[in-house]
Amino acid sequence: MITLRYAAGSDVGRVRQGNEDAAYAGARLLAVADGMGGHVGGEVASAAAITAVAALDREQPDDLVATAEAGVRQANQRLRELVEEDPSLTGMGTTLTLMLWDGPRVALAHIGDSRAYLLRDGDLYQITYDHTLVQTLMDDGRITAEEAARHPHRSILLQVLDGGDNPDPDLSLRDAEVGDRYLLCSDGLSGVVEAERLRQVLAEVDDLDEVTRRLIELACEAGGPDNITCVVADVVEGPGSDTPVTVGAAVPS
Ligand code: MG
């Protein structure tokens, strides 16, 4: 039987006052959300999105991709309701990157600039596409990856989950292999730690809790300008982790 071993960590970083990231890891579901919006909006948005999609962890869906997409829509609907109940939350939004598992198959749903990576046979692959202005400029050949990393508008998102009418997540179905290691993270990690450093930690550190600690440490050493959240999971044969983990703003206070 193919299962997941997982760990998750979240840290406020070195600059921010509060943590607007949230994440969930369970036997079937991995998810990261990075909230934004004035006052408490960011925390509310990411926590609501993670709480809404966490229900997917208990389902055994026929159609993985459709179920993942429905989860994103439910999260979006929840944000809309929250703003209707409390107009001071207007303008809040969140990224959402989630992976929904059924044995060796996994659906990936993604909106925003959080990321998912796959480490396979020692190589690291980014398997999500950033919905950012700088990614578009890179696609058009107008700036290089190095320029994007320092671009003054690098935080501008072109898509986000905000309770709007037609959320349009990227959706895909993938095959997972025993030995694969997945990382989901917020831009507080991927924005300040180079992919090669991520690859090294993922390839060299066995223990998943230790991996999350090391990744957060690297982001903090790089200045920790933003909240830092990561979920790591190994695809294994035999028993996996069995206790769901929630971190960041989604933890009930
Ligand atoms: Mg962030």
Side-chain angles (χ1 to χ4, degrees), residues 190-203:
S190 54
V192 295
V193 180
E194 287 180 10
E196 174 53 24
R197 287 295 287 142
L198 300 179
R199 192 199 65 78
Q200 284 170 7
V201 172
L202 290 164

Side-chain angles (χ1 to χ4, degrees), residues 21 34 187-188 226-227:
D21 285 358
D34 177 350
D187 68 331
D226 194 2
N227 306 143

Side-chain angles (χ1 to χ4, degrees), residues 129-130 132-145 147-148 158:
Y129 176 87
D130 293 350
T132 57
L133 175 67
V134 291
Q135 181 65 54
T136 307
L137 294 173
M138 276 166 60
D139 294 346
D140 291 345
R142 292 166 62 184
I143 60 171
T144 64
E147 286 166 338
L158 301 183

